[in-house]
DNA sequence: CCATGAACCTGGTCGC
DNA sequence: TGCGACCAGGTTCATG
């Protein structure tokens, strides 16, 4: 599920379902799901003031604290009204009136954090790619000042937040930059092109409610449609839409990586 | 400072 | 059909 557009989609879906309601308790079904607090720490009745997103966290805002939910690889968050819950439920938030907010997570990597506010998350994360904090001057300056593998750098949440394996591959392909390029050797004009493509691709994906593989449904049976728009991710063996060259898959920065060697140039010196 | 690999988990897929 | 190997949209930690 979880890169910026998918997390945004989940937050946008959950918000009207729970905002204004009260959380009365949390059941940590998986014993490690509450990362830095205990269910006793939120005993009582807490009004949900807002549901937003920061980086890849879903932020639930209360009067005096926030809960930050990270879906990691397989986390899902949705509202249920009946009494049963699925096999891989990691946590259940009980709401007043009988609704439940279900955190389902097959691989159990997902975590819930309690903070007083966004400070700690902000300290460990780079700018939001769709905000004005992320601009071409900042991007050029910080790409040029680092000697990093470009794919690893774009995946680094402390540099820029929200991108993951799909949108990094898509953005680099759209910009004609090979994932094994070194950040400081990419020409300024290419960095500006990459900037524009990151913003365009994320925005378009949010409009399509994100990318959904397999059959995860979170909007009453709907799911994200951006998978239809993918140009390079998962397209190994297919021919490149721009140049008809065969798309290959390799490993970069420890991750499966999709590339067209003909139209993505390696900037290494 | 940077890269790499393992760890955290479960389930799906592919080859034999 | 069965089984092992390998893979998966993320992050953190140890090591070189």
């Amino acid at each position: 599920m979880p890169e910026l557009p998918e997390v945004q989609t989940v937050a946008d879906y959950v918000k009207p379902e729970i905002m204004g309601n009260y959380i009365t308790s949390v059941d940590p079904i998986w014993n490690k799901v509450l990362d830095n607090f205990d269910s006793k720490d939120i005993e009582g009745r807490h009004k949900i003031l807002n549901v937003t997103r920061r980086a890849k966290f879903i932020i639930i805002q209360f009067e005096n604290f926030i809960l930050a939910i990270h879906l990691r690889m397989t986390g899902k968050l949705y509202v249920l009204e009946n009494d049963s819950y699925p096999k891989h439920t990691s946590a259940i938030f009980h709401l007043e009136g009988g609704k439940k907010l279900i955190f389902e997570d097959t691989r159990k990597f997902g975590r819930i954090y309690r903070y007083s506010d966004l400070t700690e998350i902000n300290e460990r994360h780079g700018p939001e790619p769709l905000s004005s904090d992320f601009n071409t001057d900042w991007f050029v300056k910080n790409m040029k000042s680092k000697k990093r593998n470009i794919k690893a750098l774009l995946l680094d949440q402390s540099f820029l937040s929200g991108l993951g394996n799909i949108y990094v591959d898509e953005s680099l392909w759209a910009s004609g930059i090979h994932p094994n390029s070194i950040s400081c050797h990419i020409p300024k004009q290419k960095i500006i092109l990459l900037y524009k493509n990151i913003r365009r691709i994320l925005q378009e994906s949010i409009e399509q409610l994100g990318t959904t593989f397999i059959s995860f449904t979170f909007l009453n049976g709907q799911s994200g449609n951006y998978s239809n728009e993918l140009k390079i991710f998962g397209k190994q063996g297919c021919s490149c839409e721009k140049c008809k060259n065969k798309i290959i898959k390799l490993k970069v920065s420890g991750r499966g990586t999709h590339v067209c060697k003909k139209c993505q140039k390696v900037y290494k010196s």
Side-chain angles (χ1 to χ4, degrees), chain A residues 98-142:
Chain A
K99 279 189 182 179
K100 293 176 305 185
L101 184 62
I102 301 288
F103 182 28
E104 183 186 344
D105 186 17
T106 307
R107 289 177 69 180
K108 299 184 167 80
F109 292 166
R111 293 291 182 271
I112 304 171
Y113 307 82
R114 183 196 192 280
Y115 298 118
S116 56
D117 54 40
L118 279 174
T119 306
E120 289 191 56
I121 290 176
N122 287 336
E123 280 170 358
R124 286 180 288 112
H125 288 81
E128 283 293 324
L130 295 176
S131 79
S132 54
D133 295 346
F134 181 53
N135 57 61
T136 52
D137 286 350
W138 179 91
F139 198 38
V140 170
K141 176 166 157 273
N142 284 280

mmCIF file of all heavy atoms in Angstrom, chain A residues 98-142:
data_model
loop_
_atom_site.group_PDB
_atom_site.id
_atom_site.type_symbol
_atom_site.label_atom_id
_atom_site.label_comp_id
_atom_site.label_asym_id
_atom_site.label_seq_id
_atom_site.Cartn_x
_atom_site.Cartn_y
_atom_site.Cartn_z
ATOM 1 N N GLY A 98 -20.045 2.442 18.495
ATOM 2 C CA GLY A 98 -19.894 1.079 18.013
ATOM 3 C C GLY A 98 -18.980 0.895 16.814
ATOM 4 O O GLY A 98 -18.632 -0.222 16.466
ATOM 5 N N LYS A 99 -18.587 2.004 16.156
ATOM 6 C CA LYS A 99 -17.638 1.862 15.045
ATOM 7 C C LYS A 99 -16.265 1.462 15.583
ATOM 8 O O LYS A 99 -15.921 1.779 16.723
ATOM 9 C CB LYS A 99 -17.492 3.201 14.308
ATOM 10 C CG LYS A 99 -18.600 3.501 13.318
ATOM 11 C CD LYS A 99 -18.208 4.738 12.518
ATOM 12 C CE LYS A 99 -19.284 5.143 11.524
ATOM 13 N NZ LYS A 99 -18.911 6.351 10.779
ATOM 14 N N LYS A 100 -15.509 0.791 14.704
ATOM 15 C CA LYS A 100 -14.141 0.439 15.063
ATOM 16 C C LYS A 100 -13.213 0.836 13.924
ATOM 17 O O LYS A 100 -13.543 0.646 12.752
ATOM 18 C CB LYS A 100 -14.016 -1.072 15.304
ATOM 19 C CG LYS A 100 -14.763 -1.558 16.529
ATOM 20 C CD LYS A 100 -14.675 -3.071 16.639
ATOM 21 C CE LYS A 100 -15.160 -3.704 15.353
ATOM 22 N NZ LYS A 100 -15.218 -5.167 15.435
ATOM 23 N N LEU A 101 -12.067 1.366 14.289
ATOM 24 C CA LEU A 101 -11.029 1.656 13.306
ATOM 25 C C LEU A 101 -10.054 0.484 13.339
ATOM 26 O O LEU A 101 -9.429 0.217 14.367
ATOM 27 C CB LEU A 101 -10.321 2.972 13.660
ATOM 28 C CG LEU A 101 -9.265 3.470 12.680
ATOM 29 C CD1 LEU A 101 -9.874 3.774 11.313
ATOM 30 C CD2 LEU A 101 -8.565 4.710 13.240
ATOM 31 N N ILE A 102 -9.970 -0.233 12.214
ATOM 32 C CA ILE A 102 -9.178 -1.453 12.146
ATOM 33 C C ILE A 102 -7.831 -1.176 11.485
ATOM 34 O O ILE A 102 -7.770 -0.598 10.400
ATOM 35 C CB ILE A 102 -9.913 -2.535 11.315
ATOM 36 C CG1 ILE A 102 -11.286 -2.860 11.917
ATOM 37 C CG2 ILE A 102 -9.051 -3.790 11.165
ATOM 38 C CD1 ILE A 102 -11.235 -3.638 13.200
ATOM 39 N N PHE A 103 -6.773 -1.593 12.137
ATOM 40 C CA PHE A 103 -5.430 -1.556 11.542
ATOM 41 C C PHE A 103 -5.047 -2.999 11.238
ATOM 42 O O PHE A 103 -4.726 -3.768 12.141
ATOM 43 C CB PHE A 103 -4.449 -0.905 12.526
ATOM 44 C CG PHE A 103 -3.046 -0.778 12.001
ATOM 45 C CD1 PHE A 103 -2.791 -0.662 10.643
ATOM 46 C CD2 PHE A 103 -1.975 -0.741 12.875
ATOM 47 C CE1 PHE A 103 -1.494 -0.518 10.160
ATOM 48 C CE2 PHE A 103 -0.661 -0.609 12.407
ATOM 49 C CZ PHE A 103 -0.425 -0.499 11.051
ATOM 50 N N GLU A 104 -5.162 -3.344 9.961
ATOM 51 C CA GLU A 104 -4.884 -4.708 9.524
ATOM 52 C C GLU A 104 -3.514 -4.730 8.853
ATOM 53 O O GLU A 104 -3.193 -3.832 8.075
ATOM 54 C CB GLU A 104 -5.975 -5.148 8.525
ATOM 55 C CG GLU A 104 -5.840 -6.577 8.046
ATOM 56 C CD GLU A 104 -6.853 -6.913 6.955
ATOM 57 O OE1 GLU A 104 -7.833 -6.157 6.787
ATOM 58 O OE2 GLU A 104 -6.652 -7.930 6.267
ATOM 59 N N ASP A 105 -2.711 -5.741 9.137
ATOM 60 C CA ASP A 105 -1.331 -5.708 8.662
ATOM 61 C C ASP A 105 -0.740 -7.116 8.591
ATOM 62 O O ASP A 105 -0.199 -7.628 9.570
ATOM 63 C CB ASP A 105 -0.501 -4.829 9.611
ATOM 64 C CG ASP A 105 0.906 -4.630 9.108
ATOM 65 O OD1 ASP A 105 1.165 -4.870 7.916
ATOM 66 O OD2 ASP A 105 1.767 -4.237 9.918
ATOM 67 N N THR A 106 -0.782 -7.702 7.410
ATOM 68 C CA THR A 106 -0.348 -9.086 7.236
ATOM 69 C C THR A 106 1.071 -9.326 7.744
ATOM 70 O O THR A 106 1.312 -10.273 8.489
ATOM 71 C CB THR A 106 -0.421 -9.486 5.741
ATOM 72 O OG1 THR A 106 -1.728 -9.186 5.261
ATOM 73 C CG2 THR A 106 -0.121 -10.964 5.566
ATOM 74 N N ARG A 107 1.983 -8.489 7.362
ATOM 75 C CA ARG A 107 3.380 -8.759 7.718
ATOM 76 C C ARG A 107 3.794 -8.174 9.069
ATOM 77 O O ARG A 107 4.964 -8.322 9.470
ATOM 78 C CB ARG A 107 4.301 -8.270 6.595
ATOM 79 C CG ARG A 107 4.176 -9.156 5.365
ATOM 80 C CD ARG A 107 5.019 -8.669 4.215
ATOM 81 N NE ARG A 107 6.437 -8.814 4.462
ATOM 82 C CZ ARG A 107 7.365 -8.445 3.594
ATOM 83 N NH1 ARG A 107 7.030 -7.896 2.442
ATOM 84 N NH2 ARG A 107 8.638 -8.612 3.882
ATOM 85 N N LYS A 108 2.897 -7.476 9.715
ATOM 86 C CA LYS A 108 3.144 -7.011 11.091
ATOM 87 C C LYS A 108 4.312 -6.019 11.234
ATOM 88 O O LYS A 108 4.892 -5.892 12.316
ATOM 89 C CB LYS A 108 3.398 -8.206 12.027
ATOM 90 C CG LYS A 108 2.231 -9.188 12.137
ATOM 91 C CD LYS A 108 2.566 -10.263 13.173
ATOM 92 C CE LYS A 108 1.361 -11.079 13.578
ATOM 93 N NZ LYS A 108 1.030 -12.138 12.609
ATOM 94 N N PHE A 109 4.674 -5.346 10.144
ATOM 95 C CA PHE A 109 5.736 -4.336 10.246
ATOM 96 C C PHE A 109 5.193 -2.988 10.696
ATOM 97 O O PHE A 109 5.931 -2.140 11.179
ATOM 98 C CB PHE A 109 6.426 -4.135 8.893
ATOM 99 C CG PHE A 109 7.232 -5.295 8.413
ATOM 100 C CD1 PHE A 109 7.666 -5.354 7.094
ATOM 101 C CD2 PHE A 109 7.591 -6.334 9.265
ATOM 102 C CE1 PHE A 109 8.419 -6.413 6.629
ATOM 103 C CE2 PHE A 109 8.346 -7.400 8.811
ATOM 104 C CZ PHE A 109 8.765 -7.437 7.481
ATOM 105 N N GLY A 110 3.925 -2.776 10.486
ATOM 106 C CA GLY A 110 3.310 -1.479 10.776
ATOM 107 C C GLY A 110 3.356 -1.143 12.258
ATOM 108 O O GLY A 110 3.328 -2.039 13.109
ATOM 109 N N ARG A 111 3.437 0.147 12.568
ATOM 110 C CA ARG A 111 3.538 0.593 13.953
ATOM 111 C C ARG A 111 2.678 1.824 14.188
ATOM 112 O O ARG A 111 2.421 2.606 13.272
ATOM 113 C CB ARG A 111 4.990 0.959 14.298
ATOM 114 C CG ARG A 111 5.962 -0.243 14.310
ATOM 115 C CD ARG A 111 5.687 -1.176 15.464
ATOM 116 N NE ARG A 111 6.635 -2.276 15.507
ATOM 117 C CZ ARG A 111 6.484 -3.438 14.873
ATOM 118 N NH1 ARG A 111 5.429 -3.638 14.096
ATOM 119 N NH2 ARG A 111 7.381 -4.391 14.985
ATOM 120 N N ILE A 112 2.267 1.991 15.454
ATOM 121 C CA ILE A 112 1.526 3.177 15.863
ATOM 122 C C ILE A 112 2.355 3.897 16.923
ATOM 123 O O ILE A 112 2.867 3.264 17.865
ATOM 124 C CB ILE A 112 0.150 2.791 16.435
ATOM 125 C CG1 ILE A 112 -0.637 1.959 15.403
ATOM 126 C CG2 ILE A 112 -0.640 4.040 16.832
ATOM 127 C CD1 ILE A 112 -1.924 1.356 15.952
ATOM 128 N N TYR A 113 2.495 5.204 16.752
ATOM 129 C CA TYR A 113 3.302 6.016 17.659
ATOM 130 C C TYR A 113 2.418 7.076 18.301
ATOM 131 O O TYR A 113 1.471 7.560 17.693
ATOM 132 C CB TYR A 113 4.432 6.728 16.899
ATOM 133 C CG TYR A 113 5.288 5.794 16.076
ATOM 134 C CD1 TYR A 113 4.870 5.379 14.810
ATOM 135 C CD2 TYR A 113 6.516 5.330 16.551
ATOM 136 C CE1 TYR A 113 5.650 4.518 14.043
ATOM 137 C CE2 TYR A 113 7.300 4.474 15.796
ATOM 138 C CZ TYR A 113 6.864 4.075 14.539
ATOM 139 O OH TYR A 113 7.636 3.220 13.789
ATOM 140 N N ARG A 114 2.754 7.427 19.525
ATOM 141 C CA ARG A 114 2.076 8.514 20.208
ATOM 142 C C ARG A 114 3.085 9.621 20.458
ATOM 143 O O ARG A 114 4.149 9.379 21.035
ATOM 144 C CB ARG A 114 1.503 8.035 21.550
ATOM 145 C CG ARG A 114 0.713 9.068 22.328
ATOM 146 C CD ARG A 114 0.555 8.586 23.772
ATOM 147 N NE ARG A 114 -0.403 9.353 24.534
ATOM 148 C CZ ARG A 114 -0.145 10.535 25.089
ATOM 149 N NH1 ARG A 114 1.038 11.090 24.944
ATOM 150 N NH2 ARG A 114 -1.087 11.148 25.775
ATOM 151 N N TYR A 115 2.758 10.843 19.982
ATOM 152 C CA TYR A 115 3.617 11.998 20.200
ATOM 153 C C TYR A 115 2.758 13.151 20.692
ATOM 154 O O TYR A 115 1.537 13.169 20.472
ATOM 155 C CB TYR A 115 4.297 12.438 18.897
ATOM 156 C CG TYR A 115 5.213 11.412 18.272
ATOM 157 C CD1 TYR A 115 4.933 10.897 17.007
ATOM 158 C CD2 TYR A 115 6.372 10.980 18.924
ATOM 159 C CE1 TYR A 115 5.773 9.965 16.403
ATOM 160 C CE2 TYR A 115 7.220 10.050 18.329
ATOM 161 C CZ TYR A 115 6.923 9.547 17.072
ATOM 162 O OH TYR A 115 7.748 8.640 16.483
ATOM 163 N N SER A 116 3.397 14.132 21.299
ATOM 164 C CA SER A 116 2.625 15.304 21.713
ATOM 165 C C SER A 116 2.253 16.156 20.506
ATOM 166 O O SER A 116 1.201 16.789 20.475
ATOM 167 C CB SER A 116 3.396 16.127 22.750
ATOM 168 O OG SER A 116 4.648 16.478 22.230
ATOM 169 N N ASP A 117 3.136 16.166 19.497
ATOM 170 C CA ASP A 117 2.838 16.888 18.260
ATOM 171 C C ASP A 117 3.754 16.353 17.155
ATOM 172 O O ASP A 117 4.375 15.304 17.333
ATOM 173 C CB ASP A 117 3.009 18.402 18.437
ATOM 174 C CG ASP A 117 4.390 18.738 18.980
ATOM 175 O OD1 ASP A 117 5.366 18.112 18.552
ATOM 176 O OD2 ASP A 117 4.491 19.619 19.852
ATOM 177 N N LEU A 118 3.873 17.095 16.044
ATOM 178 C CA LEU A 118 4.620 16.592 14.884
ATOM 179 C C LEU A 118 6.130 16.816 14.981
ATOM 180 O O LEU A 118 6.875 16.402 14.086
ATOM 181 C CB LEU A 118 4.108 17.274 13.612
ATOM 182 C CG LEU A 118 2.819 16.701 13.011
ATOM 183 C CD1 LEU A 118 2.350 17.578 11.843
ATOM 184 C CD2 LEU A 118 3.052 15.262 12.521
ATOM 185 N N THR A 119 6.579 17.441 16.053
ATOM 186 C CA THR A 119 7.991 17.829 16.125
ATOM 187 C C THR A 119 8.952 16.678 15.836
ATOM 188 O O THR A 119 9.855 16.807 15.006
ATOM 189 C CB THR A 119 8.305 18.419 17.518
ATOM 190 O OG1 THR A 119 7.377 19.470 17.772
ATOM 191 C CG2 THR A 119 9.716 18.959 17.569
ATOM 192 N N GLU A 120 8.759 15.565 16.540
ATOM 193 C CA GLU A 120 9.712 14.454 16.373
ATOM 194 C C GLU A 120 9.726 13.906 14.961
ATOM 195 O O GLU A 120 10.769 13.520 14.426
ATOM 196 C CB GLU A 120 9.382 13.327 17.357
ATOM 197 C CG GLU A 120 9.693 13.694 18.788
ATOM 198 C CD GLU A 120 9.610 12.481 19.710
ATOM 199 O OE1 GLU A 120 10.300 11.482 19.451
ATOM 200 O OE2 GLU A 120 8.833 12.542 20.688
ATOM 201 N N ILE A 121 8.544 13.839 14.339
ATOM 202 C CA ILE A 121 8.471 13.348 12.960
ATOM 203 C C ILE A 121 9.143 14.351 12.018
ATOM 204 O O ILE A 121 9.936 13.973 11.155
ATOM 205 C CB ILE A 121 7.008 13.095 12.551
ATOM 206 C CG1 ILE A 121 6.481 11.875 13.310
ATOM 207 C CG2 ILE A 121 6.890 12.878 11.043
ATOM 208 C CD1 ILE A 121 5.008 11.574 13.065
ATOM 209 N N ASN A 122 8.865 15.617 12.225
ATOM 210 C CA ASN A 122 9.473 16.640 11.364
ATOM 211 C C ASN A 122 10.992 16.628 11.440
ATOM 212 O O ASN A 122 11.678 16.826 10.441
ATOM 213 C CB ASN A 122 8.939 18.028 11.728
ATOM 214 C CG ASN A 122 7.506 18.222 11.278
ATOM 215 O OD1 ASN A 122 7.046 17.547 10.342
ATOM 216 N ND2 ASN A 122 6.800 19.127 11.924
ATOM 217 N N GLU A 123 11.519 16.367 12.635
ATOM 218 C CA GLU A 123 12.977 16.366 12.801
ATOM 219 C C GLU A 123 13.653 15.256 12.002
ATOM 220 O O GLU A 123 14.807 15.384 11.619
ATOM 221 C CB GLU A 123 13.326 16.195 14.289
ATOM 222 C CG GLU A 123 13.203 17.483 15.092
ATOM 223 C CD GLU A 123 13.303 17.241 16.595
ATOM 224 O OE1 GLU A 123 13.437 16.055 17.011
ATOM 225 O OE2 GLU A 123 13.242 18.218 17.348
ATOM 226 N N ARG A 124 12.939 14.179 11.793
ATOM 227 C CA ARG A 124 13.556 13.041 11.102
ATOM 228 C C ARG A 124 13.144 12.929 9.636
ATOM 229 O O ARG A 124 13.458 11.934 8.997
ATOM 230 C CB ARG A 124 13.218 11.745 11.842
ATOM 231 C CG ARG A 124 13.993 11.573 13.143
ATOM 232 C CD ARG A 124 13.652 10.276 13.865
ATOM 233 N NE ARG A 124 12.336 10.314 14.468
ATOM 234 C CZ ARG A 124 11.298 9.580 14.062
ATOM 235 N NH1 ARG A 124 11.447 8.747 13.069
ATOM 236 N NH2 ARG A 124 10.128 9.685 14.667
ATOM 237 N N HIS A 125 12.402 13.921 9.148
ATOM 238 C CA HIS A 125 11.926 13.820 7.769
ATOM 239 C C HIS A 125 12.189 15.076 6.954
ATOM 240 O O HIS A 125 12.131 16.186 7.472
ATOM 241 C CB HIS A 125 10.431 13.491 7.751
ATOM 242 C CG HIS A 125 10.149 12.076 8.173
ATOM 243 N ND1 HIS A 125 10.093 11.705 9.499
ATOM 244 C CD2 HIS A 125 9.950 10.954 7.448
ATOM 245 C CE1 HIS A 125 9.867 10.401 9.567
ATOM 246 N NE2 HIS A 125 9.770 9.919 8.342
ATOM 247 N N GLY A 126 12.458 14.855 5.669
ATOM 248 C CA GLY A 126 12.655 15.954 4.741
ATOM 249 C C GLY A 126 11.323 16.589 4.374
ATOM 250 O O GLY A 126 10.266 16.198 4.872
ATOM 251 N N PRO A 127 11.377 17.577 3.468
ATOM 252 C CA PRO A 127 10.170 18.311 3.105
ATOM 253 C C PRO A 127 9.122 17.443 2.410
ATOM 254 O O PRO A 127 9.443 16.388 1.856
ATOM 255 C CB PRO A 127 10.686 19.384 2.147
ATOM 256 C CG PRO A 127 12.010 18.895 1.682
ATOM 257 C CD PRO A 127 12.578 18.073 2.788
ATOM 258 N N GLU A 128 7.901 17.914 2.456
ATOM 259 C CA GLU A 128 6.819 17.313 1.690
ATOM 260 C C GLU A 128 7.021 17.671 0.221
ATOM 261 O O GLU A 128 7.106 18.855 -0.125
ATOM 262 C CB GLU A 128 5.471 17.877 2.159
ATOM 263 C CG GLU A 128 4.969 17.294 3.453
ATOM 264 C CD GLU A 128 4.608 15.819 3.306
ATOM 265 O OE1 GLU A 128 4.098 15.434 2.246
ATOM 266 O OE2 GLU A 128 4.846 15.054 4.257
ATOM 267 N N PRO A 129 7.075 16.679 -0.669
ATOM 268 C CA PRO A 129 7.359 16.972 -2.079
ATOM 269 C C PRO A 129 6.295 17.830 -2.776
ATOM 270 O O PRO A 129 6.587 18.463 -3.781
ATOM 271 C CB PRO A 129 7.459 15.587 -2.729
ATOM 272 C CG PRO A 129 6.995 14.609 -1.726
ATOM 273 C CD PRO A 129 7.033 15.245 -0.383
ATOM 274 N N LEU A 130 5.104 17.881 -2.247
ATOM 275 C CA LEU A 130 4.062 18.694 -2.890
ATOM 276 C C LEU A 130 3.887 20.054 -2.225
ATOM 277 O O LEU A 130 3.009 20.822 -2.595
ATOM 278 C CB LEU A 130 2.728 17.932 -2.901
ATOM 279 C CG LEU A 130 2.728 16.660 -3.758
ATOM 280 C CD1 LEU A 130 1.406 15.916 -3.643
ATOM 281 C CD2 LEU A 130 3.031 16.994 -5.225
ATOM 282 N N SER A 131 4.737 20.339 -1.228
ATOM 283 C CA SER A 131 4.636 21.640 -0.563
ATOM 284 C C SER A 131 5.635 22.620 -1.169
ATOM 285 O O SER A 131 6.529 22.239 -1.921
ATOM 286 C CB SER A 131 4.930 21.487 0.932
ATOM 287 O OG SER A 131 6.340 21.398 1.131
ATOM 288 N N SER A 132 5.475 23.887 -0.797
ATOM 289 C CA SER A 132 6.387 24.908 -1.337
ATOM 290 C C SER A 132 7.766 24.832 -0.679
ATOM 291 O O SER A 132 8.714 25.449 -1.172
ATOM 292 C CB SER A 132 5.788 26.298 -1.143
ATOM 293 O OG SER A 132 5.464 26.483 0.219
ATOM 294 N N ASP A 133 7.904 24.060 0.410
ATOM 295 C CA ASP A 133 9.237 23.838 0.991
ATOM 296 C C ASP A 133 10.139 23.100 0.008
ATOM 297 O O ASP A 133 11.359 23.196 0.068
ATOM 298 C CB ASP A 133 9.148 22.971 2.252
ATOM 299 C CG ASP A 133 8.392 23.659 3.368
ATOM 300 O OD1 ASP A 133 8.174 24.877 3.261
ATOM 301 O OD2 ASP A 133 8.031 22.969 4.336
ATOM 302 N N PHE A 134 9.515 22.330 -0.841
ATOM 303 C CA PHE A 134 10.259 21.578 -1.857
ATOM 304 C C PHE A 134 10.227 22.406 -3.134
ATOM 305 O O PHE A 134 9.211 22.463 -3.821
ATOM 306 C CB PHE A 134 9.588 20.219 -2.068
ATOM 307 C CG PHE A 134 10.269 19.331 -3.077
ATOM 308 C CD1 PHE A 134 11.631 19.044 -2.968
ATOM 309 C CD2 PHE A 134 9.552 18.771 -4.130
ATOM 310 C CE1 PHE A 134 12.254 18.203 -3.899
ATOM 311 C CE2 PHE A 134 10.170 17.932 -5.056
ATOM 312 C CZ PHE A 134 11.520 17.654 -4.941
ATOM 313 N N ASN A 135 11.351 23.067 -3.419
ATOM 314 C CA ASN A 135 11.424 23.902 -4.625
ATOM 315 C C ASN A 135 12.719 23.589 -5.376
ATOM 316 O O ASN A 135 13.593 22.887 -4.855
ATOM 317 C CB ASN A 135 11.330 25.385 -4.249
ATOM 318 C CG ASN A 135 12.410 25.781 -3.262
ATOM 319 O OD1 ASN A 135 13.601 25.673 -3.562
ATOM 320 N ND2 ASN A 135 12.008 26.206 -2.075
ATOM 321 N N THR A 136 12.811 24.095 -6.590
ATOM 322 C CA THR A 136 13.949 23.712 -7.440
ATOM 323 C C THR A 136 15.281 24.176 -6.865
ATOM 324 O O THR A 136 16.273 23.459 -6.960
ATOM 325 C CB THR A 136 13.788 24.252 -8.869
ATOM 326 O OG1 THR A 136 13.514 25.648 -8.808
ATOM 327 C CG2 THR A 136 12.645 23.546 -9.585
ATOM 328 N N ASP A 137 15.322 25.354 -6.263
ATOM 329 C CA ASP A 137 16.588 25.831 -5.690
ATOM 330 C C ASP A 137 17.094 24.891 -4.601
ATOM 331 O O ASP A 137 18.263 24.519 -4.572
ATOM 332 C CB ASP A 137 16.406 27.244 -5.089
ATOM 333 C CG ASP A 137 16.302 28.303 -6.181
ATOM 334 O OD1 ASP A 137 16.553 27.952 -7.349
ATOM 335 O OD2 ASP A 137 15.971 29.450 -5.853
ATOM 336 N N TRP A 138 16.187 24.536 -3.710
ATOM 337 C CA TRP A 138 16.550 23.619 -2.622
ATOM 338 C C TRP A 138 17.010 22.285 -3.188
ATOM 339 O O TRP A 138 18.016 21.708 -2.756
ATOM 340 C CB TRP A 138 15.334 23.424 -1.702
ATOM 341 C CG TRP A 138 15.592 22.481 -0.563
ATOM 342 C CD1 TRP A 138 16.042 22.800 0.678
ATOM 343 C CD2 TRP A 138 15.425 21.051 -0.583
ATOM 344 N NE1 TRP A 138 16.174 21.666 1.443
ATOM 345 C CE2 TRP A 138 15.807 20.576 0.694
ATOM 346 C CE3 TRP A 138 15.011 20.135 -1.543
ATOM 347 C CZ2 TRP A 138 15.775 19.219 1.033
ATOM 348 C CZ3 TRP A 138 14.976 18.783 -1.223
ATOM 349 C CH2 TRP A 138 15.353 18.333 0.062
ATOM 350 N N PHE A 139 16.282 21.777 -4.167
ATOM 351 C CA PHE A 139 16.564 20.446 -4.712
ATOM 352 C C PHE A 139 17.919 20.421 -5.423
ATOM 353 O O PHE A 139 18.739 19.538 -5.174
ATOM 354 C CB PHE A 139 15.435 20.057 -5.676
ATOM 355 C CG PHE A 139 15.353 18.591 -5.982
ATOM 356 C CD1 PHE A 139 15.599 17.626 -5.011
ATOM 357 C CD2 PHE A 139 14.995 18.165 -7.268
ATOM 358 C CE1 PHE A 139 15.503 16.271 -5.306
ATOM 359 C CE2 PHE A 139 14.892 16.809 -7.561
ATOM 360 C CZ PHE A 139 15.153 15.870 -6.595
ATOM 361 N N VAL A 140 18.168 21.412 -6.260
ATOM 362 C CA VAL A 140 19.446 21.469 -6.976
ATOM 363 C C VAL A 140 20.602 21.578 -5.984
ATOM 364 O O VAL A 140 21.577 20.829 -6.051
ATOM 365 C CB VAL A 140 19.469 22.659 -7.966
ATOM 366 C CG1 VAL A 140 20.879 22.863 -8.530
ATOM 367 C CG2 VAL A 140 18.464 22.437 -9.102
ATOM 368 N N LYS A 141 20.458 22.479 -5.023
ATOM 369 C CA LYS A 141 21.520 22.709 -4.036
ATOM 370 C C LYS A 141 21.843 21.427 -3.257
ATOM 371 O O LYS A 141 23.001 21.060 -3.075
ATOM 372 C CB LYS A 141 21.065 23.821 -3.090
ATOM 373 C CG LYS A 141 22.002 24.135 -1.947
ATOM 374 C CD LYS A 141 21.620 25.467 -1.304
ATOM 375 C CE LYS A 141 22.105 25.585 0.119
ATOM 376 N NZ LYS A 141 21.187 25.037 1.109
ATOM 377 N N ASN A 142 20.805 20.736 -2.808
ATOM 378 C CA ASN A 142 21.024 19.557 -1.969
ATOM 379 C C ASN A 142 21.410 18.313 -2.752
ATOM 380 O O ASN A 142 22.052 17.403 -2.210
ATOM 381 C CB ASN A 142 19.793 19.307 -1.100
ATOM 382 C CG ASN A 142 19.720 20.277 0.060
ATOM 383 O OD1 ASN A 142 20.392 20.102 1.057
ATOM 384 N ND2 ASN A 142 18.945 21.329 -0.106
#
